[in-house]
Amino acid sequence: MNIRTSASLFAVALAASFAALSFASPPQGGNIPVAGQQPAPEFRDIEKWLNSQPLKLEELRGKVVLVDFWTYTCINCLNHLPYVKDWHAKYKDSGLVVVGVHTPEFAYEKSTKNVQDAIKKLGIQHAVAQDNNYATWKAFGNQYWPAVYLIDKQGRIVYSHFGEGRYGATEKKIQDLLAQPSPTGS
């Protein structure tokens, strides 16, 4: 093997390593620039609503909505859950609506009874939408557990975070969104 071939193979291996590392962890997310903000898609094909009557984002205009994609066997979701529960408890009376979108990773996580048992065991009091067919997951273009999307009072996705962490930044964004005036007519 000559030096040129060795260098080419090394470059390919190095590029593949960087590509593998970039797929290993989710992007951070964060504030979405105004030009990139999209109306939040409606909850789709929800098999069952738990802890709530069925919710429609259109009917939640004038409120701040936190959509949390999770599943009850995901360790990262379980580490993240206390923050979601805390935000629900702290801000529900100020206009925050938390919706946990339970999207199963494994077949047994599709069982409504299993999800109900997990909700009870974990002390979840916010609304949970059972997204067994990934319709809402796909509508949001989501790829991660856990994933948080914040929707402003006008119904636009203005912030996201994927994976654990950034709890202070997420809470600050919740506070900022709650402080904004409601749109006229809501």
Side-chain angles (χ1 to χ4, degrees), residues 118-159:
I119 287 170
K120 183 176 180 183
K121 178 183 174 192
L122 297 168
I124 296 171
Q125 302 205 356
H126 56 267
V128 175
Q130 200 173 350
D131 186 28
N132 283 350
N133 296 316
Y134 284 65
T136 297
W137 171 285
K138 290 174 187 172
F140 273 77
N142 190 48
Q143 300 178 41
Y144 307 103
W145 291 280
V148 166
Y149 296 87
L150 288 176
I151 301 167
D152 70 6
K153 294 176 181 180
Q154 290 78 29
R156 299 173 305 211
I157 299 173
V158 297
Y159 176 91

Side-chain angles (χ1 to χ4, degrees), residues 1 4-5 14 16 24 31 33 45 55 70-71 76 87-88 97 99 110 121 133 135-136 140 142-143 154 158 184:
M1 187 180 302
R4 181 174 284 172
T5 304
L14 188 60
N31 290 317
D45 196 21
L55 298 175
W70 72 292
T71 188
N76 302 100
W87 295 327
H88 169 72
V97 176
V99 179
K110 291 182 176 186
K121 178 183 174 192
N133 296 316
T136 297
F140 273 77
N142 190 48
Q143 300 178 41
Q154 290 78 29
V158 297
T184 55

Side-chain angles (χ1 to χ4, degrees), residues 10-24:
F10 177 75
V12 168
L14 188 60
S17 297
F18 283 120
L21 287 174
S22 68
F23 289 115

Side-chain angles (χ1 to χ4, degrees), residues 156-177:
R156 299 173 305 211
I157 299 173
V158 297
Y159 176 91
S160 63
H161 180 71
F162 311 111
E164 294 183 56
R166 293 186 49 110
Y167 302 116
T170 302
E171 184 165 11
K172 174 77 171 99
K173 187 64 177 182
I174 291 168
Q175 293 168 345
D176 291 348
L177 291 171

Side-chain angles (χ1 to χ4, degrees), residues 22-102:
S22 68
F23 289 115
S25 62
Q28 289 279 320
N31 290 317
I32 298 170
V34 173
Q37 293 175 2
Q38 300 288 323
E42 198 52 69
F43 299 115
R44 296 190 180 144
D45 196 21
I46 298 303
E47 184 164 312
K48 181 102 174 143
W49 283 90
L50 305 163
N51 289 349
S52 171
Q53 294 297 317
L55 298 175
K56 293 183 185 295
L57 285 173
E58 184 177 309
E59 295 171 358
L60 295 175
R61 292 279 163 79
K63 298 195 178 283
V64 175
V65 180
L66 184 152
V67 176
D68 176 42
F69 286 92
W70 72 292
T71 188
Y72 69 85
T73 63
C74 164
I75 189 65
N76 302 100
C77 297
L78 296 175
N79 291 339
H80 162 90
L81 184 61
Y83 296 92
V84 175
K85 289 172 31 181
D86 186 51
W87 295 327
H88 169 72
K90 275 167 101 169
Y91 301 112
K92 66 181 178 183
D93 294 333
S94 300
L96 178 69
V97 176
V98 175
V99 179
V101 178
H102 185 273

